[in-house]
Protein backbone atom coordinates (compact mmCIF):
# COMPACT_ATOMS: atom_id res chain seq x y z
CA UNK A 1 0.00 0.00 0.00
CA UNK A 2 1.33 3.41 -0.99
CA UNK A 3 1.19 5.93 1.84
CA UNK A 4 -0.36 9.27 0.94
CA UNK A 5 -1.48 12.58 2.36
CA UNK A 6 -0.64 14.47 5.51
CA UNK A 7 -2.29 13.94 8.87
CA UNK A 8 -3.20 17.40 10.16
CA UNK A 9 -2.14 18.65 13.59
CA UNK A 10 -5.73 18.61 14.78
CA UNK A 11 -5.05 19.30 18.46
CA UNK A 12 -2.97 22.43 17.76
CA UNK A 13 -4.50 25.59 19.23
CA UNK A 14 -6.46 23.52 21.73
CA UNK A 15 -4.40 20.82 23.43
CA UNK A 16 -1.17 22.67 22.72
CA UNK A 17 -0.03 25.95 21.17
CA UNK A 18 -0.51 26.19 17.42
CA UNK A 19 1.87 29.11 16.87
CA UNK A 20 5.30 27.54 16.22
CA UNK A 21 7.23 30.31 17.99
CA UNK A 22 5.02 30.22 21.08
CA UNK A 23 5.09 26.41 21.10
CA UNK A 24 8.87 26.35 20.72
CA UNK A 25 9.30 28.73 23.65
CA UNK A 26 6.94 26.65 25.77
CA UNK A 27 8.78 23.40 25.06
CA UNK A 28 12.14 25.10 25.68
CA UNK A 29 10.77 26.28 29.02
CA UNK A 30 9.56 22.80 29.99
CA UNK A 31 12.88 21.21 28.97
CA UNK A 32 14.80 23.98 30.72
CA UNK A 33 13.12 23.09 34.02
CA UNK A 34 14.62 19.57 33.87
CA UNK A 35 18.11 19.29 35.41
CA UNK A 36 21.08 18.98 33.07
CA UNK A 37 22.05 15.70 34.75
CA UNK A 38 20.43 12.90 36.73
CA UNK A 39 22.34 10.82 39.26
CA UNK A 40 25.59 12.10 37.83
CA UNK A 41 24.70 11.27 34.21
CA UNK A 42 24.45 14.13 31.73
CA UNK A 43 21.23 14.41 29.76
CA UNK A 44 20.40 12.99 27.34
CA UNK A 45 21.29 9.61 28.84
CA UNK A 46 23.66 7.79 26.50
CA UNK A 47 21.84 4.85 24.94
CA UNK A 48 18.43 5.84 26.31
CA UNK A 49 16.51 5.02 23.14
CA UNK A 50 13.18 4.14 24.76
CA UNK A 51 10.93 6.46 26.76
CA UNK A 52 7.49 6.51 28.36
CA UNK A 53 5.85 9.93 28.38
CA UNK A 54 2.29 11.27 28.88
CA UNK A 55 -0.09 12.54 26.24
CA UNK A 56 -2.45 15.00 27.94
CA UNK A 57 -2.72 18.68 27.04
CA UNK A 58 0.60 20.41 27.50
CA UNK A 59 -0.71 22.64 30.29
CA UNK A 60 -1.26 19.44 32.27
CA UNK A 61 1.43 16.96 31.23
CA UNK A 62 3.93 18.99 29.21
CA UNK A 63 6.28 19.60 32.16
CA UNK A 64 6.29 15.89 33.06
CA UNK A 65 6.89 14.78 29.47
CA UNK A 66 9.93 17.05 29.31
CA UNK A 67 11.76 14.77 31.74
CA UNK A 68 11.45 11.79 29.39
CA UNK A 69 12.31 13.80 26.29
CA UNK A 70 15.38 15.37 27.87
CA UNK A 71 16.62 11.84 28.69
CA UNK A 72 16.01 10.55 25.14
CA UNK A 73 19.18 9.90 23.15
CA UNK A 74 18.49 10.66 19.49
CA UNK A 75 22.12 10.94 18.45
CA UNK A 76 22.07 7.77 16.30
CA UNK A 77 18.37 7.78 15.43
CA UNK A 78 17.21 7.30 11.87
CA UNK A 79 13.60 6.56 12.79
CA UNK A 80 11.25 7.03 15.72
CA UNK A 81 8.74 4.31 16.54
CA UNK A 82 5.76 5.95 18.26
CA UNK A 83 3.43 3.58 20.12
CA UNK A 84 0.15 4.81 21.59
CA UNK A 85 -3.23 3.47 22.74
CA UNK A 86 -6.48 3.85 20.85
CA UNK A 87 -8.98 6.26 22.43
CA UNK A 88 -11.38 6.64 19.49
CA UNK A 89 -12.29 3.06 18.52
CA UNK A 90 -11.98 -0.47 19.85
CA UNK A 91 -8.88 -2.15 18.46
CA UNK A 92 -7.50 -5.63 18.94
CA UNK A 93 -3.96 -6.17 17.72
CA UNK A 94 -2.03 -3.21 16.37
CA UNK A 95 -2.63 -0.78 13.51
CA UNK A 96 -0.50 1.25 11.11
CA UNK A 97 -1.06 4.64 9.52
CA UNK A 98 -1.95 5.21 5.88
CA UNK A 99 -0.59 8.77 5.93
CA UNK A 100 2.76 9.71 4.38
CA UNK A 101 3.39 12.65 6.73
CA UNK A 102 2.31 13.75 10.20
CA UNK A 103 2.03 17.52 10.52
CA UNK A 104 3.23 19.59 13.46
CA UNK A 105 3.29 23.38 13.88
CA UNK A 106 7.05 23.14 13.23
CA UNK A 107 6.74 21.19 9.98
CA UNK A 108 5.96 17.66 8.82
CA UNK A 109 7.46 14.44 10.12
CA UNK A 110 7.90 11.91 7.30
CA UNK A 111 6.46 8.45 7.86
CA UNK A 112 8.97 5.67 7.12
CA UNK A 113 7.13 3.96 4.27
CA UNK A 114 9.54 0.99 3.82
CA UNK A 115 9.33 0.08 7.52
CA UNK A 116 5.56 0.52 7.65
CA UNK A 117 5.23 -1.73 4.60
CA UNK A 118 7.57 -4.30 6.13
CA UNK A 119 5.41 -4.39 9.25
CA UNK A 120 2.23 -4.56 7.16
CA UNK A 121 3.67 -7.49 5.20
CA UNK A 122 3.84 -9.57 8.40
CA UNK A 123 0.05 -9.80 8.26
CA UNK A 124 -0.11 -8.95 11.96
CA UNK A 125 -1.17 -5.31 11.60
CA UNK A 126 -4.40 -3.60 10.65
CA UNK A 127 -4.69 -0.18 9.03
CA UNK A 128 -5.86 2.74 11.15
CA UNK A 129 -9.15 4.11 9.83
CA UNK A 130 -8.38 7.60 8.55
CA UNK A 131 -10.92 9.30 10.83
CA UNK A 132 -9.55 7.60 13.94
CA UNK A 133 -5.94 8.30 12.95
CA UNK A 134 -6.79 11.99 12.68
CA UNK A 135 -8.76 12.08 15.94
CA UNK A 136 -6.28 10.07 18.05
CA UNK A 137 -4.39 12.30 20.49
CA UNK A 138 -2.09 9.67 22.03
CA UNK A 139 0.20 9.87 19.00
CA UNK A 140 -0.22 13.54 18.08
CA UNK A 141 0.68 14.91 21.51
CA UNK A 142 4.21 13.54 21.11
CA UNK A 143 4.91 14.99 17.68
CA UNK A 144 5.93 18.54 18.71
CA UNK A 145 8.26 17.16 21.40
CA UNK A 146 9.78 14.72 18.91
CA UNK A 147 10.27 17.50 16.37
CA UNK A 148 11.78 19.81 18.99
CA UNK A 149 14.29 17.20 20.17
CA UNK A 150 15.15 16.30 16.56
CA UNK A 151 16.02 19.93 15.79
CA UNK A 152 18.12 20.10 18.95
CA UNK A 153 20.04 17.00 17.86
CA UNK A 154 20.48 17.35 14.08
CA UNK A 155 21.62 20.40 12.14
CA UNK A 156 20.31 19.34 8.73
CA UNK A 157 16.76 18.33 7.76
CA UNK A 158 18.33 15.56 5.67
CA UNK A 159 19.37 13.93 8.95
CA UNK A 160 15.91 14.07 10.56
CA UNK A 161 14.64 10.63 11.59
CA UNK A 162 11.47 9.27 10.01
CA UNK A 163 8.37 8.28 11.98
CA UNK A 164 6.74 4.87 12.48
CA UNK A 165 3.36 5.43 14.20
CA UNK A 166 1.77 2.31 15.70
CA UNK A 167 -1.59 2.21 17.46
CA UNK A 168 -1.64 -0.59 20.04
CA UNK A 169 -5.00 -2.15 20.80
CA UNK A 170 -6.63 -3.97 23.68
CA UNK A 171 -4.44 -7.06 23.65
CA UNK A 172 -4.08 -9.80 26.25
CA UNK A 173 -0.70 -10.67 27.74
CA UNK A 174 0.25 -13.38 25.21
CA UNK A 175 -0.67 -11.09 22.33
CA UNK A 176 1.48 -8.31 23.78
CA UNK A 177 4.37 -10.76 23.96
CA UNK A 178 3.81 -11.73 20.34
CA UNK A 179 4.00 -8.11 19.19
CA UNK A 180 6.93 -7.53 21.54
CA UNK A 181 8.88 -10.36 19.91
CA UNK A 182 8.00 -8.96 16.48
CA UNK A 183 9.25 -5.47 17.40
CA UNK A 184 12.30 -6.60 19.40
CA UNK A 185 14.66 -6.62 16.38
CA UNK A 186 13.66 -3.03 15.61
CA UNK A 187 14.23 -2.07 19.24
CA UNK A 188 17.65 -3.73 19.14
CA UNK A 189 18.63 -1.80 16.00
CA UNK A 190 20.75 1.25 17.04
CA UNK A 191 19.06 3.28 14.28
CA UNK A 192 15.70 3.16 16.08
CA UNK A 193 14.24 4.86 19.13
CA UNK A 194 10.88 4.08 20.73
CA UNK A 195 8.46 6.59 22.26
CA UNK A 196 5.70 4.98 24.32
CA UNK A 197 2.62 7.12 24.97
CA UNK A 198 0.77 6.69 28.25
CA UNK A 199 -0.87 8.54 31.09
CA UNK A 200 -1.26 6.73 34.40
CA UNK A 201 -4.20 6.59 36.83
CA UNK A 202 -7.41 8.27 35.68
CA UNK A 203 -9.24 8.62 38.99
CA UNK A 204 -12.78 9.81 39.56
CA UNK A 205 -16.41 8.94 39.00
CA UNK A 206 -16.19 10.33 35.46
CA UNK A 207 -13.53 7.72 34.70
CA UNK A 208 -15.52 4.94 36.41
CA UNK A 209 -12.54 4.34 38.69
CA UNK A 210 -12.65 5.33 42.35
CA UNK A 211 -10.35 2.66 43.81
CA UNK A 212 -9.12 3.32 47.34
CA UNK A 213 -6.64 1.56 49.65
CA UNK A 214 -7.86 1.81 53.29
CA UNK A 215 -4.89 2.08 55.59
CA UNK A 216 -2.69 2.10 52.48
CA UNK A 217 -3.27 -1.65 52.15
CA UNK A 218 -3.80 -2.63 48.52
CA UNK A 219 -5.09 -6.04 49.68
CA UNK A 220 -8.15 -4.25 51.07
CA UNK A 221 -8.82 -2.36 47.83
CA UNK A 222 -12.31 -0.90 47.66
CA UNK A 223 -14.21 1.65 45.58
CA UNK A 224 -15.36 4.94 47.06
CA UNK A 225 -18.86 6.32 46.66
CA UNK A 226 -20.49 9.63 47.53
CA UNK A 227 -21.13 8.16 51.00
CA UNK A 228 -17.39 8.00 51.71
CA UNK A 229 -16.58 11.36 50.25
CA UNK A 230 -13.47 12.43 52.22
CA UNK A 231 -11.41 9.57 53.67
CA UNK A 232 -8.19 10.54 55.44
CA UNK A 233 -6.32 7.28 56.09
CA UNK A 234 -4.81 7.90 53.63
CA UNK A 235 -6.11 10.94 51.72
CA UNK A 236 -7.43 9.91 48.31
CA UNK A 237 -4.47 11.42 46.45
CA UNK A 238 -2.05 9.35 48.52
CA UNK A 239 -4.02 6.21 47.69
CA UNK A 240 -3.82 7.12 43.99
CA UNK A 241 -0.07 7.63 44.35
CA UNK A 242 0.26 4.19 45.94
CA UNK A 243 -1.67 2.53 43.10
CA UNK A 244 0.51 4.29 40.54
CA UNK A 245 3.68 3.39 42.42
CA UNK A 246 2.73 -0.29 42.33
CA UNK A 247 2.32 -0.06 38.56
CA UNK A 248 5.57 1.89 38.22
CA UNK A 249 7.43 -0.69 40.32
CA UNK A 250 6.06 -3.50 38.16
CA UNK A 251 7.20 -1.73 34.98
CA UNK A 252 10.62 -0.90 36.43
CA UNK A 253 11.05 -4.52 37.48
CA UNK A 254 11.23 -5.47 33.82
CA UNK A 255 8.90 -8.48 33.92
CA UNK A 256 5.91 -8.17 31.62
CA UNK A 257 3.85 -10.70 33.57
CA UNK A 258 4.26 -8.70 36.79
CA UNK A 259 2.85 -5.59 35.12
CA UNK A 260 -0.10 -7.51 33.69
CA UNK A 261 -0.79 -9.09 37.08
CA UNK A 262 -0.56 -5.72 38.83
CA UNK A 263 -3.21 -4.22 36.56
CA UNK A 264 -5.37 -7.31 36.93
CA UNK A 265 -5.30 -6.81 40.71
CA UNK A 266 -5.71 -3.03 40.98
CA UNK A 267 -7.59 -2.32 37.72
CA UNK A 268 -5.48 0.86 37.55
CA UNK A 269 -6.58 2.94 34.57
CA UNK A 270 -3.16 3.24 32.90
CA UNK A 271 -4.43 4.14 29.44
CA UNK A 272 -1.18 3.19 27.69
CA UNK A 273 -0.96 -0.18 29.42
CA UNK A 274 -0.86 -2.03 26.10
CA UNK A 275 1.87 0.05 24.40
CA UNK A 276 3.84 -0.25 27.64
CA UNK A 277 3.17 -3.99 27.73
CA UNK A 278 4.30 -4.55 24.15
CA UNK A 279 7.48 -2.53 24.75
CA UNK A 280 8.20 -4.32 28.03
CA UNK A 281 7.80 -7.64 26.23
CA UNK A 282 10.29 -6.52 23.56
CA UNK A 283 12.78 -5.33 26.20
CA UNK A 284 12.40 -8.56 28.16
CA UNK A 285 13.01 -10.57 25.00
CA UNK A 286 16.26 -8.66 24.40
CA UNK A 287 17.28 -9.04 28.04
CA UNK A 288 16.92 -12.81 27.79
CA UNK A 289 19.02 -12.85 24.62
CA UNK A 290 21.82 -10.71 26.08
CA UNK A 291 21.50 -10.06 29.83
CA UNK A 292 22.85 -6.69 30.95
CA UNK A 293 22.16 -5.11 34.36
CA UNK A 294 22.26 -1.59 32.92
CA UNK A 295 19.88 -2.20 30.03
CA UNK A 296 16.34 -3.21 29.09
CA UNK A 297 14.53 -1.90 32.19
CA UNK A 298 12.65 1.38 32.59
CA UNK A 299 13.91 3.92 35.07
CA UNK A 300 11.31 6.44 36.18
CA UNK A 301 12.42 10.03 36.52
CA UNK A 302 9.22 11.98 37.15
CA UNK A 303 5.69 11.55 38.51
CA UNK A 304 3.00 14.23 38.60
CA UNK A 305 -0.79 14.53 38.87
CA UNK A 306 -3.24 17.01 37.43
CA UNK A 307 -4.63 17.65 40.92
CA UNK A 308 -4.50 16.24 44.45
CA UNK A 309 -7.85 14.56 45.05
CA UNK A 310 -9.32 14.88 48.53
CA UNK A 311 -13.05 14.25 48.02
CA UNK A 312 -15.05 11.76 45.99
CA UNK A 313 -16.34 14.43 43.61
CA UNK A 314 -12.80 15.38 42.54
CA UNK A 315 -10.85 13.74 39.72
CA UNK A 316 -7.27 13.57 38.53
CA UNK A 317 -5.00 12.07 35.89
CA UNK A 318 -1.48 10.93 36.74
CA UNK A 319 1.59 11.34 34.53
CA UNK A 320 4.96 9.60 34.62
CA UNK A 321 8.17 9.77 32.60
CA UNK A 322 10.73 7.02 32.22
CA UNK A 323 13.60 5.91 30.00
CA UNK A 324 15.28 2.63 29.18
CA UNK A 325 18.68 1.90 27.68
CA UNK A 326 18.56 -0.64 24.89
Amino acid sequence: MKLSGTRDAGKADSWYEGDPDVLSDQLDSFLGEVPASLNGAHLPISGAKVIIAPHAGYSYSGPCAAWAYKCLDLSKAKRVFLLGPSHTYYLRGCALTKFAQYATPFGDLIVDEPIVQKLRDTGKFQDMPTFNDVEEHSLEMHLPYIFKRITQTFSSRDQYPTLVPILVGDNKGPEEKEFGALLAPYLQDPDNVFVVSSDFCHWGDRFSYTAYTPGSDVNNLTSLTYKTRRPTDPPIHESIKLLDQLAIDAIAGGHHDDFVNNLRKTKNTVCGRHPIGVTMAALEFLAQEAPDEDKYKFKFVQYQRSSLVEVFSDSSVSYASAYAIA
Side-chain angles (χ1 to χ4, degrees):
M1 174 189 291
K2 180 72 175 175
L3 302 182
S4 64
T6 300
R7 182 201 179 278
D8 291 335
K11 306 302 181 188
D13 290 316
S14 56
W15 290 51
Y16 58 91
E17 297 288 347
D19 182 290
D21 293 330
V22 176
L23 179 60
S24 181
D25 289 345
Q26 183 185 52
L27 296 183
D28 284 340
S29 175
F30 290 157
L31 291 165
E33 292 171 2
V34 180
S37 62
L38 289 175
N39 300 319
H42 183 74
L43 303 187
I45 302 290
S46 179
K49 51 196 292 271
V50 192
I51 62 170
I52 297 171
H55 54 235
Y58 282 2
S59 61
Y60 294 101
S61 70
C64 183
W67 285 75
Y69 276 100
K70 196 159 181 176
C71 290
L72 181 63
D73 183 2
L74 287 170
S75 60
K76 298 178 181 178
K78 292 184 179 178
R79 60 191 66 85
V80 178
F81 283 70
L82 174 57
L83 280 63
S86 175
H87 291 87
T88 67
Y89 75 111
Y90 184 77
L91 171 67
R92 286 298 294 269
C94 293
L96 302 167
T97 189
K98 294 181 288 186
F99 285 111
Q101 291 94 223
Y102 272 38
T104 82
F106 302 132
D108 295 345
L109 289 166
I110 307 302
V111 174
D112 194 309
E113 185 162 4
I115 295 297
V116 169
Q117 188 58 51
K118 188 175 180 180
L119 292 173
R120 184 173 281 118
D121 288 344
T122 66
K124 301 292 186 180
F125 292 83
Q126 305 174 39
D127 291 328
M128 294 185 218
T130 299
F131 173 82
N132 301 100
D133 195 343
V134 171
E135 289 297 310
E136 182 55 60
H137 68 273
S138 75
L139 302 179
E140 180 177 342
M141 296 307 296
H142 288 274
L143 303 179
Y145 257 121
I146 290 171
F147 204 107
K148 163 62 74 171
R149 288 290 291 109
I150 285 173
T151 60
Q152 291 178 339
T153 306
F154 301 100
S155 58
S156 169
R157 184 173 285 271
D158 293 339
Q159 298 173 298
Y160 286 9
T162 52
L163 187 69
V164 184
I166 301 175
L167 209 58
V168 181
D170 184 17
N171 302 306
K172 298 185 183 302
E175 295 166 320
E176 290 180 356
K177 289 184 178 181
E178 181 181 353
F179 279 106
L182 190 155
L183 291 174
Y186 295 98
L187 185 57
Q188 188 176 37
D189 188 336
D191 290 345
N192 300 329
V193 303
F194 276 60
V195 173
V196 183
S197 177
S198 183
D199 297 336
F200 275 69
C201 184
H202 297 61
W203 196 96
D205 192 43
R206 69 190 184 101
F207 298 119
S208 301
Y209 187 74
T210 58
Y212 180 72
T213 55
S216 298
D217 184 357
V218 72
N219 293 314
N220 290 328
L221 194 66
T222 187
S223 291
L224 296 182
T225 70
Y226 69 93
K227 294 180 180 179
T228 49
R229 60 182 304 271
R230 191 189 289 268
T232 58
D233 182 25
I236 297 173
H237 61 83
E238 286 300 317
S239 174
I240 294 169
K241 183 178 180 180
L242 172 61
L243 293 169
D244 278 328
Q245 190 60 55
L246 291 170
I248 286 169
D249 289 346
I251 295 168
H255 298 294
H256 174 266
D257 289 346
D258 290 347
F259 180 52
V260 171
N261 291 335
N262 166 262
L263 296 182
R264 183 179 294 120
K265 179 176 183 177
T266 68
K267 306 296 191 293
N268 195 346
T269 46
V270 180
C271 62
R273 68 186 66 185
H274 298 299
I276 292 173
V278 166
T279 307
M280 284 187 69
L283 288 167
E284 192 169 7
F285 181 86
L286 295 180
Q288 292 168 350
E289 292 289 305
D292 188 324
E293 285 293 321
D294 297 323
K295 299 172 69 174
Y296 310 126
K297 290 183 180 180
F298 282 109
K299 296 181 180 179
F300 281 80
V301 294
Q302 187 65 193
Y303 173 74
Q304 299 178 10
R305 284 159 288 176
S306 61
S307 65
L308 297 181
V309 174
E310 295 187 355
V311 298
F312 172 78
S313 58
D314 290 342
S315 64
S316 75
V317 180
S318 305
Y319 314 116
S321 281
Y323 72 88
I325 297 173

